[in-house]
Amino acid sequence: MLEIWNPSTGQRIQKVDDDTPATIAAKYKLARQAQVKWAIKPLEERLEAIRAFRALIVKRAENLAQTLTLEVGKPITQSRREIAAVLTRIDYFLAESPRVLADETVYEDSTMSEIVAREPLGVIANISAWNYPYFVGSNVFVVALIAGNAVLYKPSEFATLTGLHIAQMMSEVGAPFFPIIGAGSAGAALLEQPIDGVFFTGSFATGQKIAEVASRRMIHVQLELGGKDPVYVTDDVDVEKAAESLADGAFYNAGQSCCSVERIYVHERVYDAFVERFVREVNGFALGDPLDDKTYIGPLARRAQVGVLETQVADAKAKGARVLTGGARIAREGNWFAPTVLVDVNHSMSVMRDESFGPVIGIQRVRDDAEASRLMNDSEFALTAGVYSRDESRARALLRNARAGSAYWNCCDRVSPRLPWSGRGHSGLGVTLGRDGLLAFTQPKAYHLRSG
Ligand code: NAD
């Protein structure tokens, strides 16, 4: 049995049956059979099933949002926003896939044709994180299904009820989608099945284990991992606007986004004004019951992360950092940590190097663009990077030099269905979203066709 906890109160919500190696093997067999029938359906029929899935999300939106908030602790307005925004993402997949998945004739003469066809991979495992189950899940399972794959979906053990809601809706629309319920051991058992690919979202540490298994099995692997996303605030900004935007980018969803702003470098000319405005913004955030519409910061989804943040703050303080606000766990039931701003930080500190994945930010003073650029790239992670400046060419030059899959000018913590989402280094391998993210769930077949 898997126990589901409410991170806001520390109370157990319920227990659910988890999968065993035997039930996982049985689901794999069902998925394999279903995939064959699914893949030969015309694309339009598969799209119709996804349209029906979308309609069920619309119908059940409030219930889905309440469940997400209950088990993950995400403030209810942010859960509603995730569910509303996933519809736009699905619309993009529905609109783009006929064009992207169509056969492409790349050469033709009087006797010879060369055509690239897109075939599904087969049965894929989607092992997912809890922080945005609708977003990071749909980037994989919706697109995989459209492309003709069957999906064995392992939601995070911290978002199990949401995973079961998704599975229920997929079953109602007749898609070959099978939930695998359990913790990491269920994910590991799933990888022992003869699947054709694994699409993983989660931490670098788990991603490494998945990559090892995938390389042994020689199967397709895609990894969306962590980030230590830097932003540089230059000396020509509107300090007020930049501080407001970056406080939101760092503390939305209590900082538990892969693209949350995790470290900020500020030009020395605007440093004091920026820090003062930033702290004022953070102190204005409403923290409390995530089911309350007024709450902006809720608890952390994982209890263990409270200890990680305590260790990062203690390490930073021991090395000379100052805490301007927060800095400790909050004494109430559940997994609470006060929104924390650290200054006088440097790269000898874990808080500037290791993913915090919580409501903690370090702000470092820099002399010039060159120092900012060097520090931004001084990380194993390389998911996103941002620059705040009035000068587009200055920002574009800095962003060209940034080691990151996504580059932001005067914005942050943003994902678009139209653009590829990818990490470099410890942030992962492969792409979701955009045209590349549709092709990721297919394999090309090259046809050499000679008439006569
Ligand atoms: P996690 O690595 O702890 O768990 C992710 C999933 O892997 C869970 O479903 C878990 O049960 C499963 N798992 C654990 N051990 C396994 C094993 N040995 N074999 C197979 N499966 C196993 O990560 P998390 O706490 O759920 O998610 C947080 C992390 O995800 C953060 O690092 C965050 O940055 C990252 N993330 C990245 C993106 C992105 O797009 N790059 C998006 C969201 C989250």
Side-chain angles (χ1 to χ4, degrees), residues 53-68:
F53 171 71
R54 185 195 187 284
L56 288 177
I57 296 182
V58 172
K59 199 160 138 201
R60 296 176 193 171
E62 184 55 23
N63 183 30
L64 302 179
Q66 296 276 338
T67 301
L68 182 56

Side-chain angles (χ1 to χ4, degrees), residues 125 127 186-195 198 209-210 213-214 217 219:
I127 299 179
L190 170 56
L191 294 181
E192 292 310 312
Q193 296 303 314
I195 50 175
V198 52
K209 290 184 198 157
I210 306 261
V213 178
R217 305 274 312 282
I219 55 172

Side-chain angles (χ1 to χ4, degrees), residues 127-132 136 139 154-158 182-189 191 200-207 209-210 213 223-227 256-259 302 355 357 381 383 421-423 427 432:
I127 299 179
S128 202
W130 47 267
N131 62 335
Y132 285 93
V136 299
N139 296 351
K154 210 298 279 137
S156 163
E157 57 273 41
F158 299 98
S185 54
L191 294 181
F200 172 76
T201 310
S203 62
F204 171 70
T206 313
K209 290 184 198 157
I210 306 261
V213 178
L223 307 167
E224 297 206 333
L225 309 178
Q256 302 170 111
S257 310
C258 53
C259 51
R302 301 180 70 157
E355 190 176 37
F357 220 59
F381 292 108
L383 189 62
W421 185 250
S422 68
S427 292
T432 51

Side-chain angles (χ1 to χ4, degrees), residues 51-174:
R51 278 186 208 107
F53 171 71
R54 185 195 187 284
L56 288 177
I57 296 182
V58 172
K59 199 160 138 201
R60 296 176 193 171
E62 184 55 23
N63 183 30
L64 302 179
Q66 296 276 338
T67 301
L68 182 56
T69 291
L70 194 68
E71 65 178 343
V72 173
K74 180 178 298 210
I76 187 70
T77 52
Q78 297 175 22
S79 292
R80 289 189 190 120
R81 198 167 148 189
E82 179 179 347
I83 287 162
V86 87
L87 303 175
T88 322
R89 237 171 240 208
I90 293 175
D91 290 341
Y92 170 80
F93 303 143
L94 289 169
E96 278 302 294
S97 44
R99 193 177 57 77
V100 176
L101 300 179
D103 288 359
E104 189 186 358
T105 303
V106 291
Y107 178 79
E108 209 164 25
D109 65 23
S110 55
T111 56
M112 193 75 200
S113 295
E114 296 177 358
I115 295 171
V116 185
R118 295 282 161 187
E119 295 188 342
L121 298 168
V123 176
I124 63 136
N126 175 194
I127 299 179
S128 202
W130 47 267
N131 62 335
Y132 285 93
Y134 289 97
F135 273 168
V136 299
S138 68
N139 296 351
V140 174
F141 61 68
V142 170
V143 185
L145 289 168
I146 288 175
N149 300 281
V151 177
L152 290 157
Y153 176 63
K154 210 298 279 137
S156 163
E157 57 273 41
F158 299 98
T160 299
L161 301 178
T162 293
L164 289 170
H165 276 316
I166 293 171
Q168 171 64 29
M169 292 187 285
M170 283 296 187
S171 139
E172 287 178 45
V173 305

Side-chain angles (χ1 to χ4, degrees), residues 215-270:
S215 71
R216 241 191 300 122
R217 305 274 312 282
M218 202 55 81
I219 55 172
H220 186 94
V221 60
Q222 185 155 308
L223 307 167
E224 297 206 333
L225 309 178
K228 190 69 195 168
D229 309 57
V231 171
Y232 171 40
V233 179
T234 67
D235 54 349
D236 70 357
V237 292
D238 175 335
V239 167
E240 182 117 343
K241 258 170 79 181
E244 250 175 54
S245 163
L246 287 169
D248 183 50
F251 290 93
Y252 190 82
N253 197 24
Q256 302 170 111
S257 310
C258 53
C259 51
S260 286
V261 176
E262 286 252 340
R263 42 194 178 113
I264 304 178
Y265 305 96
V266 185
H267 195 287
E268 58 187 7
R269 272 193 217 112
V270 293

